[in-house]
Amino acid sequence: MIKAASYSRRSDSHGKRFDERSVDEQDELNAKAASANNWDLPLSRRFRDNNISASRYSTKERPDWRRLEELLESQSLDVLILWETSRAWRKLYEWAALVELCAYSKTLIHITADNRTYDPNDDRDWVALMEDGLDSEKESRKIRKRVSRNMEASKRAGRPHSRPAYGYESRAVPKPDDPRQVEKTRVPVPEQAQIVVEVITRVASSHPLIAIARDLNERGVPSPSVAQGLTPHHRSKGPALWSPAMLRRICTNAVYIGKRAYEEDGKEVLVKGDWPAIVDEELFWKARNLLADPSRKTTRPGRAKYLLAFFGTCDVCGAYLARLGGREVNRYRCNGPKGCVTIRMDWTDMFIGHLVCQRLAKKDIFELLTKHDDTKKDLAIELEKLRASYQEALDMMESEEISLRAFSVKEKKLLPRIAELEETLRPVTIPKVLEDLTRDARGNLATIRTRWMALDIPAQRDVLRTLFKSIRIRKTKTLGQHKTDEQIEYMLRERIAFEWVNE
């Protein structure tokens, strides 16, 4: 009895490419070919890999193909059955290696679509097999070029890519110009969109990511992977829970303001997407800028439990301040090797809070924080002209008034400058927590102070980062105890040096 083995593969298991047969159809046709030729093809020798590409651009492992290769190397097969040569490989050098392996093991290759059996040791059959392998790689390269071109056009036009982000779902809706036809679009999922708004609002209000994640898990809110029905990781011990990393991805994903982001020459470019926004753009940028603030990215030990810890510095050596424990009253201490300065923590925090409230009581506080150079007006005009020119070229390309090549040349000239201007002119956003402190206060110091005292330490620290360039603690010049309020205030004003932003 002639021993046969079959191999079936399809790159796309979702049926987007209708020119490829499914693995089930390939299996069935290969089995019929074996039966017609009276070849022995048990189920144990039917190998298949679904939803895996065989092109040079694929990185996925094909488990069944590896098992088939081991069987061929053992020289225990007489015939290898394939629906097409491309089912085995679309890489010419890999296909050539397979042909040589079959020649060495004296295994015939049957191509079901051709209804022909090839002998790799026959010169004519060998040439035919190699030509088929060349055609497969050529087609693979064409597909790659076509897919890349379509993806490039989609990102420029703001069309979505890959599966919908958490908060959205894909839905078929009638086309505006022809209600008889439908097109796929993305629409918000109400319960998920509500969580997205909550997360971004809380992050913009300086709530710690770990605290938000803990709260969502305690409330039993399904995490993105659970809500979207994704298969859990094989190492997962249970349903995926919310984590700070998940929240950070949400707060930095421009899809939630109805825009698609892509990278151009190392810079982020944003284009308007064809789906609705979930959150206000200004709120989104407050949260994103807050997370991107370099001063918040530290690897220092401990949580943000103390107002000036690892924020204020020693005026003598420049080291950060840290909490000095082991005393009845907490103190800040220079974290340098010499411990140059120490100062009582509660007095210092109270004094800094008083400075903050007085600063926020100024009616022109936001103008002070966001003031720009007048020369940027010319840059803003230039940006609008470039955007209009790019949109005009895009419209002409889509209406085939200019070629894709001509559009590509113009695009390479416009996009880098547009990205550069957008980065330069991106508005300075005020942290939401700072807006909340001053909203409707009308400069009332008592109202602002009450709100300041109600904030938690992480939120207060974000306010300090916005208002202060630096806070430094000097060495004391007055010895002895400070008992009266006047003595304490004099000491604090003498020892605490600070510099405001934009002043």
Side-chain angles (χ1 to χ4, degrees):
M1 180 67 86
I2 296 176
K3 292 183 179 179
S6 69
Y7 180 74
S8 306
R9 182 193 61 79
R10 180 165 174 154
S11 303
D12 174 22
S13 65
H14 301 293
K16 292 180 183 176
R17 292 195 60 203
F18 296 105
D19 59 327
E20 291 186 358
R21 291 187 176 273
S22 70
V23 289
D24 289 334
E25 290 174 319
Q26 293 175 45
D27 272 354
E28 182 180 351
L29 292 169
N30 289 340
K32 286 182 179 179
S35 177
N37 289 280
N38 199 27
W39 295 334
D40 179 34
L41 180 63
L43 290 175
S44 60
R45 290 203 296 269
R46 296 184 188 182
F47 301 93
R48 52 191 286 169
D49 288 309
N50 200 10
N51 201 28
I52 302 178
S53 172
S55 77
R56 65 170 55 250
Y57 310 104
S58 174
T59 57
K60 273 188 179 180
E61 182 73 18
R62 291 193 282 161
D64 264 21
W65 178 256
R66 294 305 172 199
R67 286 193 283 272
L68 174 59
E69 282 188 323
E70 292 173 2
L71 192 61
L72 287 168
E73 289 169 357
S74 69
Q75 303 183 37
S76 57
L77 276 183
D78 299 312
V79 182
L80 170 61
I81 306 174
L82 302 170
W83 163 248
E84 292 175 333
T85 56
S86 60
R87 297 308 88 203
W89 282 113
R90 286 188 183 272
K91 301 177 188 177
L92 179 58
Y93 70 92
E94 294 281 12
W95 172 251
L98 174 65
V99 172
E100 292 303 316
L101 176 60
C102 290
Y104 170 75
S105 62
K106 295 182 174 53
T107 302
L108 304 178
I109 300 177
H110 180 83
I111 305 300
T112 305
D114 299 344
N115 192 25
R116 180 176 171 184
T117 305
Y118 297 86
D119 182 357
N121 287 299
D122 180 87
D123 291 347
R124 290 179 180 274
D125 285 355
W126 181 88
V127 171
L129 288 170
M130 297 307 292
E131 287 177 346
D132 280 353
L134 182 62
D135 289 341
S136 294
E137 171 134 358
K138 183 179 177 181
E139 180 64 21
S140 174
R141 289 174 179 267
K142 284 182 178 179
I143 292 171
R144 171 73 173 183
K145 189 179 293 186
R146 186 163 56 245
V147 169
S148 297
R149 187 168 58 243
N150 291 340
M151 289 179 65
E152 190 73 13
S154 291
K155 76 178 183 182
R156 306 292 185 198
R159 291 192 288 270
H161 175 63
S162 73
R163 61 182 175 83
Y166 173 78
Y168 289 95
E169 66 178 356
S170 183
R171 185 180 298 172
V173 298
K175 287 186 175 180
D177 53 343
D178 187 359
R180 292 172 299 177
Q181 297 184 1
V182 296
E183 60 181 355
K184 279 194 173 183
T185 187
R186 294 187 176 179
V187 297
V189 180
E191 59 273 17
Q192 295 178 15
Q194 185 178 353
I195 297 299
V196 170
V197 174
E198 177 189 343
V199 166
I200 294 178
T201 302
R202 292 178 67 175
V203 170
S205 300
S206 299
H207 290 209
L209 293 176
I210 192 168
I212 301 174
R214 187 186 305 117
D215 177 51
L216 293 174
N217 289 327
E218 288 176 352
R219 285 158 47 189
V221 177
S223 67
S225 58
V226 175
Q228 294 177 309
L230 302 180
T231 304
H233 192 274
H234 67 278
R235 294 181 181 175
S236 177
K237 297 180 180 179
L241 299 177
W242 286 94
S243 68
M246 291 180 188
L247 301 177
R248 183 177 289 274
R249 284 195 293 270
I250 287 176
C251 294
T252 56
N253 193 346
V255 70
Y256 297 118
I257 54 174
K259 294 187 177 181
R260 176 167 178 181
Y262 63 90
E263 196 169 286
E264 186 80 34
D265 296 329
K267 294 184 178 180
E268 183 185 51
V269 178
L270 297 177
V271 294
K272 182 173 175 55
D274 59 0
W275 60 88
I278 286 179
V279 298
D280 176 71
E281 188 165 345
E282 184 179 0
L283 179 67
F284 171 81
W285 283 112
K286 288 182 188 298
R288 178 163 165 169
N289 289 349
L290 191 90
L291 293 177
D293 185 354
S295 64
R296 302 180 90 251
K297 297 179 181 179
T298 71
T299 55
R300 303 181 190 108
R303 293 171 294 171
K305 296 168 64 176
Y306 309 105
L307 188 62
L308 293 185
F310 297 102
F311 178 77
T313 58
C314 170
D315 191 55
V316 179
C317 68
Y320 282 107
L321 301 178
R323 170 182 170 269
L324 176 63
R327 293 170 175 260
E328 290 184 8
V329 179
N330 284 336
R331 301 177 72 86
Y332 290 118
R333 178 181 181 273
C334 164
N335 202 38
K338 295 184 179 180
C340 311
V341 298
T342 64
I343 190 169
R344 185 161 162 167
M345 185 181 290
D346 54 350
W347 291 351
T348 305
D349 290 354
M350 179 184 63
F351 180 76
I352 294 297
H354 180 67
L355 292 176
V356 168
C357 294
Q358 284 187 322
R359 179 74 166 174
L360 296 180
K362 290 186 176 183
K363 295 183 179 179
D364 62 344
I365 180 61
F366 291 137
E367 287 77 5
L368 286 172
L369 294 174
T370 60
K371 64 183 180 181
H372 287 297
D373 190 341
D374 290 339
T375 58
K376 291 190 176 180
K377 292 180 181 178
D378 295 334
L379 298 180
I381 294 172
E382 180 187 356
L383 176 62
E384 290 307 314
K385 288 182 179 178
L386 291 176
R387 283 173 171 168
S389 179
Y390 176 75
Q391 187 59 47
E392 181 183 2
L394 182 63
D395 293 340
M396 291 177 69
M397 187 270 291
E398 291 181 342
S399 60
E400 299 184 352
E401 294 179 45
I402 62 173
S403 67
L404 181 62
R405 183 180 181 82
F407 171 75
S408 178
V409 172
K410 192 171 185 64
E411 184 181 55
K412 286 181 179 178
K413 293 180 180 179
L414 293 177
L415 286 184
R417 181 58 177 165
I418 289 174
E420 181 182 347
L421 290 173
E422 286 177 336
E423 185 67 26
T424 303
L425 295 171
R426 181 164 289 166
V428 177
T429 57
I430 302 298
K432 186 174 184 299
V433 63
L434 199 142
E435 288 185 348
D436 293 341
L437 282 170
T438 56
R439 184 180 294 114
D440 302 325
R442 299 177 182 177
N444 187 295
L445 187 60
T447 301
I448 294 173
R449 183 179 289 116
T450 301
R451 293 174 179 174
W452 168 260
M453 297 299 293
L455 294 178
D456 55 21
I457 293 297
Q460 290 183 347
R461 286 167 64 91
D462 282 333
V463 174
L464 297 192
R465 291 187 186 97
T466 305
L467 297 181
F468 290 96
K469 279 187 179 178
S470 65
I471 299 176
R472 307 182 307 279
I473 305 300
R474 300 188 180 112
K475 273 195 170 184
T476 184
K477 294 181 180 179
T478 57
L479 301 176
Q481 295 184 344
H482 308 284
K483 296 182 179 180
T484 67
D485 292 343
E486 291 77 10
Q487 290 174 335
I488 294 171
E489 183 177 355
Y490 179 82
M491 180 271 296
L492 292 171
R493 290 190 180 278
E494 179 187 63
R495 296 197 60 195
I496 299 177
F498 56 89
E499 187 178 357
W500 298 109
V501 169
N502 286 346
E503 187 173 280

